[in-house]
Amino acid sequence: MSERELTIAELGHRGDGVAMTENGPVFVAGALPGETVRTQVENGRAKNPVFQTRSADRVEPACRHFDSCGGCSVQHLAETPYLDWKRKLVEKALRDRGIETAVSETVAATSGGRRRAVLTATRAGRHTLLGYHEKASHRLVDISECPVLEPAIVQALPGLKSLASEILPKKGELRLTVLNTTAGLDVAIDKADRNYDRKIPVLSQKTVELDLARLSVNGEVLLEIRPPVLDMDGIGVVAAPGGFTQATKSAEETLCRLVLEGIGKAKTVADLFAGAGTFALRLAKHSNVHAVEGDAAAIAALDRALRKPQGLKKVTFEKRDLFRRPLVLGELEPFDAVVFDPPRAGAQAQSELLASSKVKTIVAVSCNPATLARDLRLLLDGGYALQSVTPVDQFQYAPHIEVVAVLTRE
């Protein structure tokens, strides 16, 4: 296998450099546009590339683990071209669906602002590893720092590793979902050893020593010292163990601002895939809201939050699988505006019905530009017009991007 020299033309959607050749694209990990490398090529990927030239946009990575850890892919790119790359990811996804529209500049993330982390723990001989998987590998990187996480989580890493070591299965991995709340860290452990109940006393002791707000194992709350409360614009919501939460507080506030601006003066709003009420509780300060969510724990969290007087407009809610049972036309009719924020799979079934509805304003929020573009195509074909598309960089240094799109019925 002979070496060849390649020039990087662009960044791919996962953060790899892409060189165009007569045999198709070649992906070069860690390379930036404009750089040249000498490398062997196997199955469309560069093997052990040697850099011949370096881009002026290359910067020193913020983390010692960057070269091996798969948690981040583009720490080596300067901020301005990095944010532009994220915007272009959204533009390309829209173009692939035949949507030509202006996309706003990317709203930057807050460095070190990730309040939710999903970590993996496993055995390595007599030692415990805690961290993220290597790039394109099942091997685990034992992290001692992480520039994207809030300091409270980073400081707790040694204690979390000790906690995980008590209930690691003999084979395989366990997962720790760590959320920093106003009351401290909320830790939910999944895939623990099935006999973990024997370790409840030591787990409880470590929970107290680490000053965790709550510890859950395999779906069971073992100890709650303080309710792990999330502040949603002055309204306290007790997070469901391991439940979905916007990854950073600053991005959550930006998304909510864009949603509120998008619905304008709508008096009645449906909040679909509502979670624990991230948008619904803020919307209800100005509008009557009907929240729909398929996860029982999230709906229960919203219900508990609403039991305290909050000075809100009318809020109703229902547990409903919107993938199987989207709101039909008769159910959509009362609403001036609809907000939807589905998982990565998108909201195809609901978008098909919205496209035939008379709802005046739709605000679509998504963490997946490809499925968002598919859903927007349905709405545009149904007579809606795009008013704005705004990327929000909630996942710093990763290839993921949040997007808020506002549409109105002509």
Side-chain angles (χ1 to χ4, degrees):
M1 187 183 300
S2 60
E3 282 193 341
R4 60 182 303 178
E5 186 168 289
L6 301 175
T7 300
I8 307 304
E10 61 183 22
L11 274 187
H13 71 282
R14 293 186 178 179
D16 289 337
V18 182
M20 302 300 179
T21 73
E22 65 278 7
N23 296 319
V26 175
F27 296 90
V28 186
L32 297 177
E35 296 182 332
T36 57
V37 299
R38 288 200 64 80
T39 184
Q40 295 179 338
V41 177
E42 183 176 315
N43 297 324
R45 299 199 67 87
K47 294 187 63 180
N48 303 316
V50 176
F51 285 81
Q52 305 296 300
T53 62
R54 299 277 182 167
S55 168
D57 291 331
R58 180 175 287 275
V59 297
E60 189 68 22
C63 178
R64 75 176 76 173
H65 303 297
F66 173 66
D67 287 339
S68 56
C69 180
C72 297
S73 58
V74 280
Q75 284 188 17
H76 57 308
L77 180 60
E79 182 176 25
T80 298
Y82 161 77
L83 293 175
D84 191 50
W85 168 65
K86 291 244 170 160
R87 179 178 57 82
K88 289 178 179 177
L89 292 178
V90 178
E91 289 180 336
K92 182 181 185 305
L94 295 176
R95 282 200 307 271
D96 287 347
R97 292 285 178 170
I99 303 172
E100 297 289 343
T101 189
V103 176
S104 300
E105 296 296 319
T106 305
V107 180
T110 300
S111 181
R114 188 84 68 84
R115 64 180 175 182
R116 184 178 188 272
V118 180
L119 304 169
T120 300
T122 192
R123 296 183 186 276
R126 296 183 178 180
H127 300 284
T128 298
L129 306 181
L130 176 69
Y132 300 106
H133 288 101
E134 292 183 10
K135 295 178 173 70
S137 171
H138 294 295
R139 293 191 298 268
L140 203 65
V141 178
D142 189 34
I143 64 171
S144 58
E145 63 180 59
C146 183
V148 303
L149 295 181
E150 287 191 348
I153 299 178
V154 177
Q155 292 165 10
L157 289 174
L160 294 173
K161 181 187 294 188
S162 175
L163 188 69
S165 69
E166 298 290 345
I167 50 175
L168 272 169
K170 292 181 180 179
K171 293 183 179 180
E173 302 172 334
L174 62 76
R175 184 177 65 184
L176 295 87
T177 301
V178 185
L179 176 64
N180 193 19
T181 74
T182 61
L185 298 185
D186 179 30
V187 179
I189 300 178
D190 292 318
K191 301 182 180 179
D193 184 273
R194 61 184 179 180
N195 296 318
Y196 74 86
D197 55 326
R198 300 174 184 174
K199 295 294 187 78
I200 288 178
V202 69
L203 292 173
S204 299
Q205 181 181 346
K206 287 180 179 290
T207 298
V208 173
E209 291 172 352
L210 289 170
D211 195 28
L212 302 180
R214 183 175 64 187
L215 174 66
S216 307
V217 178
N218 291 358
E220 177 187 6
V221 176
L222 294 191
L223 181 62
E224 181 176 289
I225 298 174
R226 299 173 299 277
V229 175
L230 296 171
D231 179 6
M232 295 189 179
D233 197 23
I235 300 174
V237 177
V238 177
F244 172 79
T245 305
Q246 296 293 345
T248 73
K249 180 68 173 174
S250 62
E252 177 180 285
E253 291 171 351
T254 298
L255 294 172
C256 291
R257 174 179 58 80
L258 293 168
V259 167
L260 288 167
E261 291 174 355
I263 68 158
K265 297 181 179 181
K267 294 182 179 179
T268 55
V269 184
D271 181 15
L272 309 183
F273 306 95
T278 302
F279 299 132
L281 292 170
R282 292 169 169 91
L283 291 165
K285 292 188 175 183
H286 310 282
S287 309
N288 294 327
V289 179
H290 181 60
V292 185
E293 167 59 44
D295 181 68
I299 281 291
L302 174 59
D303 182 22
R304 288 192 297 271
L306 290 170
R307 290 177 184 272
K308 298 180 181 180
Q310 307 287 2
L312 303 177
K313 299 282 189 178
K314 182 180 179 181
V315 180
T316 56
F317 55 86
E318 65 174 304
K319 178 184 177 298
R320 180 166 173 168
D321 184 344
L322 288 167
F323 294 108
R324 295 186 177 186
R325 285 202 310 125
L327 267 65
V328 297
L329 295 182
E331 294 172 301
L332 291 168
E333 189 174 350
F335 300 110
D336 302 321
V338 168
V339 177
F340 66 81
D341 182 13
R344 292 187 61 80
Q348 181 173 358
Q350 188 63 75
S351 296
E352 289 172 349
L353 287 162
L354 281 167
S356 300
S357 75
K358 296 180 180 179
V359 175
K360 295 177 182 178
T361 303
I362 298 173
V363 181
V365 184
S366 175
C367 61
N368 186 345
T371 56
L372 173 66
R374 177 202 64 204
D375 296 343
L376 293 181
R377 180 74 271 167
L378 292 169
L379 295 170
L380 293 173
D381 290 346
Y384 282 89
L386 264 174
Q387 301 302 322
S388 64
V389 179
T390 307
V392 179
D393 185 26
Q394 177 157 224
F395 306 98
Q396 190 178 26
Y397 303 137
H400 309 299
I401 184 73
E402 291 275 350
V403 190
V404 179
V406 180
L407 306 97
T408 57
R409 171 69 76 185
E410 290 289 339

mmCIF file of all heavy atoms in Angstrom, residues 150-193:
data_model
loop_
_atom_site.group_PDB
_atom_site.id
_atom_site.type_symbol
_atom_site.label_atom_id
_atom_site.label_comp_id
_atom_site.label_asym_id
_atom_site.label_seq_id
_atom_site.Cartn_x
_atom_site.Cartn_y
_atom_site.Cartn_z
ATOM 1 N N GLU A 150 -19.000 21.133 33.872
ATOM 2 C CA GLU A 150 -18.963 22.078 34.979
ATOM 3 C C GLU A 150 -17.949 21.597 36.013
ATOM 4 O O GLU A 150 -17.793 20.388 36.246
ATOM 5 C CB GLU A 150 -20.352 22.211 35.608
ATOM 6 C CG GLU A 150 -21.331 22.985 34.736
ATOM 7 C CD GLU A 150 -22.618 23.336 35.471
ATOM 8 O OE1 GLU A 150 -22.852 22.795 36.564
ATOM 9 O OE2 GLU A 150 -23.392 24.150 34.926
ATOM 10 N N PRO A 151 -17.243 22.524 36.669
ATOM 11 C CA PRO A 151 -16.203 22.139 37.631
ATOM 12 C C PRO A 151 -16.681 21.186 38.717
ATOM 13 O O PRO A 151 -15.920 20.322 39.161
ATOM 14 C CB PRO A 151 -15.765 23.489 38.218
ATOM 15 C CG PRO A 151 -16.061 24.489 37.134
ATOM 16 C CD PRO A 151 -17.302 23.986 36.465
ATOM 17 N N ALA A 152 -17.923 21.314 39.160
ATOM 18 C CA ALA A 152 -18.423 20.447 40.226
ATOM 19 C C ALA A 152 -18.379 18.978 39.812
ATOM 20 O O ALA A 152 -18.120 18.096 40.651
ATOM 21 C CB ALA A 152 -19.856 20.845 40.593
ATOM 22 N N ILE A 153 -18.621 18.689 38.539
ATOM 23 C CA ILE A 153 -18.571 17.302 38.070
ATOM 24 C C ILE A 153 -17.129 16.827 37.975
ATOM 25 O O ILE A 153 -16.801 15.705 38.382
ATOM 26 C CB ILE A 153 -19.299 17.162 36.717
ATOM 27 C CG1 ILE A 153 -20.766 17.561 36.859
ATOM 28 C CG2 ILE A 153 -19.174 15.740 36.181
ATOM 29 C CD1 ILE A 153 -21.562 17.502 35.567
ATOM 30 N N VAL A 154 -16.261 17.680 37.450
ATOM 31 C CA VAL A 154 -14.843 17.310 37.320
ATOM 32 C C VAL A 154 -14.248 17.015 38.698
ATOM 33 O O VAL A 154 -13.526 16.027 38.882
ATOM 34 C CB VAL A 154 -14.055 18.433 36.617
ATOM 35 C CG1 VAL A 154 -12.565 18.085 36.559
ATOM 36 C CG2 VAL A 154 -14.594 18.657 35.208
ATOM 37 N N GLN A 155 -14.542 17.854 39.668
ATOM 38 C CA GLN A 155 -14.006 17.660 41.016
ATOM 39 C C GLN A 155 -14.501 16.361 41.644
ATOM 40 O O GLN A 155 -13.825 15.778 42.502
ATOM 41 C CB GLN A 155 -14.388 18.844 41.894
ATOM 42 C CG GLN A 155 -13.711 20.143 41.497
ATOM 43 C CD GLN A 155 -14.362 21.368 42.125
ATOM 44 O OE1 GLN A 155 -15.211 21.252 43.008
ATOM 45 N NE2 GLN A 155 -13.951 22.549 41.661
ATOM 46 N N ALA A 156 -15.657 15.898 41.230
ATOM 47 C CA ALA A 156 -16.243 14.685 41.807
ATOM 48 C C ALA A 156 -15.767 13.409 41.126
ATOM 49 O O ALA A 156 -16.111 12.303 41.583
ATOM 50 C CB ALA A 156 -17.771 14.762 41.733
ATOM 51 N N LEU A 157 -14.979 13.491 40.059
ATOM 52 C CA LEU A 157 -14.598 12.301 39.294
ATOM 53 C C LEU A 157 -13.941 11.215 40.150
ATOM 54 O O LEU A 157 -14.312 10.031 40.043
ATOM 55 C CB LEU A 157 -13.693 12.685 38.117
ATOM 56 C CG LEU A 157 -14.368 13.433 36.966
ATOM 57 C CD1 LEU A 157 -13.332 13.890 35.944
ATOM 58 C CD2 LEU A 157 -15.426 12.560 36.292
ATOM 59 N N PRO A 158 -12.971 11.534 41.007
ATOM 60 C CA PRO A 158 -12.384 10.458 41.832
ATOM 61 C C PRO A 158 -13.425 9.779 42.724
ATOM 62 O O PRO A 158 -13.420 8.545 42.864
ATOM 63 C CB PRO A 158 -11.326 11.197 42.663
ATOM 64 C CG PRO A 158 -10.991 12.419 41.866
ATOM 65 C CD PRO A 158 -12.275 12.825 41.225
ATOM 66 N N GLY A 159 -14.311 10.548 43.337
ATOM 67 C CA GLY A 159 -15.343 9.970 44.183
ATOM 68 C C GLY A 159 -16.327 9.128 43.402
ATOM 69 O O GLY A 159 -16.787 8.078 43.875
ATOM 70 N N LEU A 160 -16.677 9.574 42.187
ATOM 71 C CA LEU A 160 -17.599 8.809 41.343
ATOM 72 C C LEU A 160 -16.967 7.489 40.914
ATOM 73 O O LEU A 160 -17.649 6.456 40.825
ATOM 74 C CB LEU A 160 -17.998 9.636 40.124
ATOM 75 C CG LEU A 160 -18.825 10.895 40.400
ATOM 76 C CD1 LEU A 160 -19.001 11.705 39.117
ATOM 77 C CD2 LEU A 160 -20.188 10.533 40.993
ATOM 78 N N LYS A 161 -15.669 7.520 40.653
ATOM 79 C CA LYS A 161 -14.971 6.278 40.307
ATOM 80 C C LYS A 161 -15.006 5.298 41.475
ATOM 81 O O LYS A 161 -15.256 4.101 41.287
ATOM 82 C CB LYS A 161 -13.527 6.582 39.923
ATOM 83 C CG LYS A 161 -12.730 5.350 39.514
ATOM 84 C CD LYS A 161 -11.260 5.666 39.304
ATOM 85 C CE LYS A 161 -11.033 6.580 38.129
ATOM 86 N NZ LYS A 161 -9.582 6.729 37.831
ATOM 87 N N SER A 162 -14.782 5.794 42.679
ATOM 88 C CA SER A 162 -14.840 4.947 43.869
ATOM 89 C C SER A 162 -16.241 4.375 44.062
ATOM 90 O O SER A 162 -16.412 3.193 44.396
ATOM 91 C CB SER A 162 -14.422 5.751 45.097
ATOM 92 O OG SER A 162 -14.580 4.999 46.277
ATOM 93 N N LEU A 163 -17.242 5.204 43.821
ATOM 94 C CA LEU A 163 -18.632 4.766 43.932
ATOM 95 C C LEU A 163 -18.927 3.654 42.935
ATOM 96 O O LEU A 163 -19.514 2.614 43.267
ATOM 97 C CB LEU A 163 -19.553 5.962 43.707
ATOM 98 C CG LEU A 163 -21.047 5.788 43.956
ATOM 99 C CD1 LEU A 163 -21.317 5.617 45.454
ATOM 100 C CD2 LEU A 163 -21.814 7.003 43.431
ATOM 101 N N ALA A 164 -18.505 3.856 41.683
ATOM 102 C CA ALA A 164 -18.763 2.873 40.632
ATOM 103 C C ALA A 164 -18.054 1.560 40.906
ATOM 104 O O ALA A 164 -18.581 0.476 40.601
ATOM 105 C CB ALA A 164 -18.326 3.438 39.283
ATOM 106 N N SER A 165 -16.868 1.623 41.506
ATOM 107 C CA SER A 165 -16.084 0.405 41.744
ATOM 108 C C SER A 165 -16.804 -0.570 42.658
ATOM 109 O O SER A 165 -16.551 -1.785 42.613
ATOM 110 C CB SER A 165 -14.721 0.770 42.344
ATOM 111 O OG SER A 165 -14.856 1.272 43.664
ATOM 112 N N GLU A 166 -17.704 -0.082 43.491
ATOM 113 C CA GLU A 166 -18.400 -0.947 44.436
ATOM 114 C C GLU A 166 -19.420 -1.864 43.763
ATOM 115 O O GLU A 166 -19.747 -2.927 44.294
ATOM 116 C CB GLU A 166 -19.113 -0.098 45.496
ATOM 117 C CG GLU A 166 -18.196 0.750 46.356
ATOM 118 C CD GLU A 166 -17.359 -0.094 47.310
ATOM 119 O OE1 GLU A 166 -17.699 -1.279 47.500
ATOM 120 O OE2 GLU A 166 -16.376 0.441 47.859
ATOM 121 N N ILE A 167 -19.946 -1.451 42.625
ATOM 122 C CA ILE A 167 -21.059 -2.207 42.017
ATOM 123 C C ILE A 167 -20.820 -2.500 40.542
ATOM 124 O O ILE A 167 -21.753 -2.753 39.789
ATOM 125 C CB ILE A 167 -22.393 -1.463 42.202
ATOM 126 C CG1 ILE A 167 -22.281 0.001 41.760
ATOM 127 C CG2 ILE A 167 -22.862 -1.559 43.631
ATOM 128 C CD1 ILE A 167 -23.604 0.743 41.819
ATOM 129 N N LEU A 168 -19.542 -2.493 40.132
ATOM 130 C CA LEU A 168 -19.246 -2.865 38.755
ATOM 131 C C LEU A 168 -19.596 -4.325 38.510
ATOM 132 O O LEU A 168 -19.303 -5.190 39.342
ATOM 133 C CB LEU A 168 -17.760 -2.662 38.464
ATOM 134 C CG LEU A 168 -17.313 -1.288 37.989
ATOM 135 C CD1 LEU A 168 -15.792 -1.200 38.021
ATOM 136 C CD2 LEU A 168 -17.817 -1.015 36.579
ATOM 137 N N PRO A 169 -20.211 -4.635 37.390
ATOM 138 C CA PRO A 169 -20.429 -6.047 37.058
ATOM 139 C C PRO A 169 -19.092 -6.726 36.772
ATOM 140 O O PRO A 169 -18.103 -6.064 36.463
ATOM 141 C CB PRO A 169 -21.312 -5.974 35.801
ATOM 142 C CG PRO A 169 -21.004 -4.645 35.198
ATOM 143 C CD PRO A 169 -20.708 -3.723 36.344
ATOM 144 N N LYS A 170 -19.063 -8.054 36.889
ATOM 145 C CA LYS A 170 -17.810 -8.768 36.641
ATOM 146 C C LYS A 170 -17.351 -8.595 35.209
ATOM 147 O O LYS A 170 -16.155 -8.569 34.920
ATOM 148 C CB LYS A 170 -17.994 -10.252 36.977
ATOM 149 C CG LYS A 170 -18.202 -10.512 38.466
ATOM 150 C CD LYS A 170 -18.345 -11.997 38.747
ATOM 151 C CE LYS A 170 -18.543 -12.235 40.244
ATOM 152 N NZ LYS A 170 -18.702 -13.683 40.561
ATOM 153 N N LYS A 171 -18.298 -8.511 34.307
ATOM 154 C CA LYS A 171 -17.979 -8.264 32.906
ATOM 155 C C LYS A 171 -18.839 -7.117 32.400
ATOM 156 O O LYS A 171 -19.971 -6.938 32.845
ATOM 157 C CB LYS A 171 -18.234 -9.513 32.055
ATOM 158 C CG LYS A 171 -17.305 -10.666 32.374
ATOM 159 C CD LYS A 171 -17.570 -11.841 31.435
ATOM 160 C CE LYS A 171 -16.630 -13.008 31.729
ATOM 161 N NZ LYS A 171 -16.885 -14.155 30.806
ATOM 162 N N GLY A 172 -18.316 -6.378 31.468
ATOM 163 C CA GLY A 172 -19.082 -5.294 30.870
ATOM 164 C C GLY A 172 -18.876 -3.969 31.586
ATOM 165 O O GLY A 172 -17.967 -3.805 32.405
ATOM 166 N N GLU A 173 -19.735 -3.028 31.272
ATOM 167 C CA GLU A 173 -19.591 -1.657 31.741
ATOM 168 C C GLU A 173 -20.853 -1.225 32.481
ATOM 169 O O GLU A 173 -21.917 -1.828 32.330
ATOM 170 C CB GLU A 173 -19.376 -0.714 30.546
ATOM 171 C CG GLU A 173 -18.173 -1.060 29.698
ATOM 172 C CD GLU A 173 -18.093 -0.228 28.427
ATOM 173 O OE1 GLU A 173 -19.153 0.237 27.960
ATOM 174 O OE2 GLU A 173 -16.981 -0.069 27.906
ATOM 175 N N LEU A 174 -20.709 -0.194 33.290
ATOM 176 C CA LEU A 174 -21.896 0.458 33.824
ATOM 177 C C LEU A 174 -21.862 1.933 33.436
ATOM 178 O O LEU A 174 -20.820 2.485 33.093
ATOM 179 C CB LEU A 174 -22.036 0.259 35.332
ATOM 180 C CG LEU A 174 -21.002 0.772 36.329
ATOM 181 C CD1 LEU A 174 -21.126 2.267 36.516
ATOM 182 C CD2 LEU A 174 -21.216 0.093 37.680
ATOM 183 N N ARG A 175 -23.020 2.543 33.490
ATOM 184 C CA ARG A 175 -23.164 3.923 33.026
ATOM 185 C C ARG A 175 -23.598 4.806 34.182
ATOM 186 O O ARG A 175 -24.477 4.450 34.954
ATOM 187 C CB ARG A 175 -24.197 3.992 31.894
ATOM 188 C CG ARG A 175 -24.351 5.384 31.279
ATOM 189 C CD ARG A 175 -25.333 5.358 30.140
ATOM 190 N NE ARG A 175 -26.678 5.028 30.609
ATOM 191 C CZ ARG A 175 -27.726 4.868 29.804
ATOM 192 N NH1 ARG A 175 -27.580 4.986 28.501
ATOM 193 N NH2 ARG A 175 -28.918 4.588 30.295
ATOM 194 N N LEU A 176 -22.959 5.966 34.268
ATOM 195 C CA LEU A 176 -23.316 6.956 35.278
ATOM 196 C C LEU A 176 -23.807 8.217 34.581
ATOM 197 O O LEU A 176 -23.071 8.824 33.797
ATOM 198 C CB LEU A 176 -22.119 7.327 36.159
ATOM 199 C CG LEU A 176 -21.520 6.254 37.067
ATOM 200 C CD1 LEU A 176 -20.474 5.453 36.294
ATOM 201 C CD2 LEU A 176 -20.856 6.900 38.283
ATOM 202 N N THR A 177 -25.047 8.591 34.845
ATOM 203 C CA THR A 177 -25.574 9.864 34.374
ATOM 204 C C THR A 177 -25.490 10.847 35.536
ATOM 205 O O THR A 177 -26.114 10.639 36.573
ATOM 206 C CB THR A 177 -27.024 9.726 33.891
ATOM 207 O OG1 THR A 177 -27.079 8.765 32.828
ATOM 208 C CG2 THR A 177 -27.549 11.063 33.369
ATOM 209 N N VAL A 178 -24.684 11.881 35.359
ATOM 210 C CA VAL A 178 -24.406 12.838 36.431
ATOM 211 C C VAL A 178 -24.977 14.188 36.032
ATOM 212 O O VAL A 178 -24.671 14.714 34.953
ATOM 213 C CB VAL A 178 -22.889 12.962 36.676
ATOM 214 C CG1 VAL A 178 -22.615 13.858 37.879
ATOM 215 C CG2 VAL A 178 -22.267 11.591 36.882
ATOM 216 N N LEU A 179 -25.800 14.752 36.901
ATOM 217 C CA LEU A 179 -26.448 16.032 36.633
ATOM 218 C C LEU A 179 -26.166 16.982 37.792
ATOM 219 O O LEU A 179 -26.428 16.650 38.950
ATOM 220 C CB LEU A 179 -27.956 15.836 36.476
ATOM 221 C CG LEU A 179 -28.805 17.098 36.289
ATOM 222 C CD1 LEU A 179 -28.453 17.805 34.979
ATOM 223 C CD2 LEU A 179 -30.292 16.748 36.321
ATOM 224 N N ASN A 180 -25.638 18.150 37.468
ATOM 225 C CA ASN A 180 -25.392 19.158 38.495
ATOM 226 C C ASN A 180 -26.649 20.013 38.661
ATOM 227 O O ASN A 180 -27.074 20.698 37.739
ATOM 228 C CB ASN A 180 -24.208 20.038 38.112
ATOM 229 C CG ASN A 180 -23.733 20.885 39.276
ATOM 230 O OD1 ASN A 180 -24.032 20.596 40.430
ATOM 231 N ND2 ASN A 180 -22.989 21.945 38.987
ATOM 232 N N THR A 181 -27.257 19.954 39.835
ATOM 233 C CA THR A 181 -28.490 20.688 40.124
ATOM 234 C C THR A 181 -28.218 21.770 41.151
ATOM 235 O O THR A 181 -27.111 21.889 41.679
ATOM 236 C CB THR A 181 -29.581 19.728 40.662
ATOM 237 O OG1 THR A 181 -29.263 19.363 42.015
ATOM 238 C CG2 THR A 181 -29.673 18.471 39.806
ATOM 239 N N THR A 182 -29.239 22.539 41.483
ATOM 240 C CA THR A 182 -29.070 23.578 42.499
ATOM 241 C C THR A 182 -28.817 22.988 43.878
ATOM 242 O O THR A 182 -28.347 23.680 44.779
ATOM 243 C CB THR A 182 -30.324 24.473 42.567
ATOM 244 O OG1 THR A 182 -31.459 23.664 42.920
ATOM 245 C CG2 THR A 182 -30.580 25.155 41.231
ATOM 246 N N ALA A 183 -29.099 21.695 44.056
ATOM 247 C CA ALA A 183 -28.904 21.035 45.349
ATOM 248 C C ALA A 183 -27.661 20.155 45.372
ATOM 249 O O ALA A 183 -27.393 19.486 46.367
ATOM 250 C CB ALA A 183 -30.127 20.186 45.691
ATOM 251 N N GLY A 184 -26.898 20.132 44.287
ATOM 252 C CA GLY A 184 -25.728 19.267 44.192
ATOM 253 C C GLY A 184 -25.894 18.242 43.095
ATOM 254 O O GLY A 184 -26.829 18.290 42.295
ATOM 255 N N LEU A 185 -24.982 17.272 43.077
ATOM 256 C CA LEU A 185 -24.975 16.293 41.995
ATOM 257 C C LEU A 185 -26.034 15.217 42.197
ATOM 258 O O LEU A 185 -26.193 14.674 43.290
ATOM 259 C CB LEU A 185 -23.603 15.626 41.888
ATOM 260 C CG LEU A 185 -22.408 16.519 41.562
ATOM 261 C CD1 LEU A 185 -21.151 15.668 41.374
ATOM 262 C CD2 LEU A 185 -22.672 17.368 40.326
ATOM 263 N N ASP A 186 -26.740 14.931 41.110
ATOM 264 C CA ASP A 186 -27.704 13.838 41.055
ATOM 265 C C ASP A 186 -27.071 12.744 40.199
ATOM 266 O O ASP A 186 -26.745 12.986 39.025
ATOM 267 C CB ASP A 186 -29.018 14.323 40.443
ATOM 268 C CG ASP A 186 -30.064 13.220 40.344
ATOM 269 O OD1 ASP A 186 -30.037 12.320 41.198
ATOM 270 O OD2 ASP A 186 -30.895 13.273 39.418
ATOM 271 N N VAL A 187 -26.865 11.555 40.768
ATOM 272 C CA VAL A 187 -26.158 10.478 40.074
ATOM 273 C C VAL A 187 -27.098 9.295 39.893
ATOM 274 O O VAL A 187 -27.671 8.787 40.863
ATOM 275 C CB VAL A 187 -24.904 10.036 40.861
ATOM 276 C CG1 VAL A 187 -24.195 8.894 40.136
ATOM 277 C CG2 VAL A 187 -23.952 11.225 41.036
ATOM 278 N N ALA A 188 -27.256 8.869 38.636
ATOM 279 C CA ALA A 188 -28.070 7.698 38.305
ATOM 280 C C ALA A 188 -27.171 6.664 37.639
ATOM 281 O O ALA A 188 -26.573 6.938 36.598
ATOM 282 C CB ALA A 188 -29.220 8.084 37.389
ATOM 283 N N ILE A 189 -27.047 5.492 38.253
ATOM 284 C CA ILE A 189 -26.182 4.431 37.747
ATOM 285 C C ILE A 189 -27.039 3.336 37.134
ATOM 286 O O ILE A 189 -27.986 2.852 37.743
ATOM 287 C CB ILE A 189 -25.305 3.853 38.876
ATOM 288 C CG1 ILE A 189 -24.418 4.957 39.469
ATOM 289 C CG2 ILE A 189 -24.460 2.700 38.367
ATOM 290 C CD1 ILE A 189 -23.540 4.492 40.616
ATOM 291 N N ASP A 190 -26.676 2.941 35.912
ATOM 292 C CA ASP A 190 -27.368 1.857 35.220
ATOM 293 C C ASP A 190 -26.399 0.714 34.932
ATOM 294 O O ASP A 190 -25.183 0.929 34.848
ATOM 295 C CB ASP A 190 -27.965 2.349 33.895
ATOM 296 C CG ASP A 190 -29.102 3.327 34.099
ATOM 297 O OD1 ASP A 190 -29.928 3.080 34.995
ATOM 298 O OD2 ASP A 190 -29.149 4.340 33.387
ATOM 299 N N LYS A 191 -26.940 -0.496 34.777
ATOM 300 C CA LYS A 191 -26.175 -1.704 34.455
ATOM 301 C C LYS A 191 -25.246 -2.109 35.590
ATOM 302 O O LYS A 191 -24.188 -2.717 35.360
ATOM 303 C CB LYS A 191 -25.378 -1.519 33.150
ATOM 304 C CG LYS A 191 -26.245 -1.205 31.939
ATOM 305 C CD LYS A 191 -25.412 -1.089 30.680
ATOM 306 C CE LYS A 191 -26.286 -0.782 29.467
ATOM 307 N NZ LYS A 191 -25.474 -0.631 28.223
ATOM 308 N N ALA A 192 -25.631 -1.761 36.824
ATOM 309 C CA ALA A 192 -24.843 -2.175 37.976
ATOM 310 C C ALA A 192 -24.970 -3.676 38.198
ATOM 311 O O ALA A 192 -25.898 -4.331 37.705
ATOM 312 C CB ALA A 192 -25.311 -1.425 39.218
ATOM 313 N N ASP A 193 -24.033 -4.246 38.972
ATOM 314 C CA ASP A 193 -24.103 -5.659 39.343
ATOM 315 C C ASP A 193 -25.477 -5.963 39.939
ATOM 316 O O ASP A 193 -25.998 -5.190 40.752
ATOM 317 C CB ASP A 193 -22.991 -5.976 40.342
ATOM 318 C CG ASP A 193 -22.955 -7.451 40.697
ATOM 319 O OD1 ASP A 193 -23.681 -7.831 41.637
ATOM 320 O OD2 ASP A 193 -22.223 -8.205 40.036
#
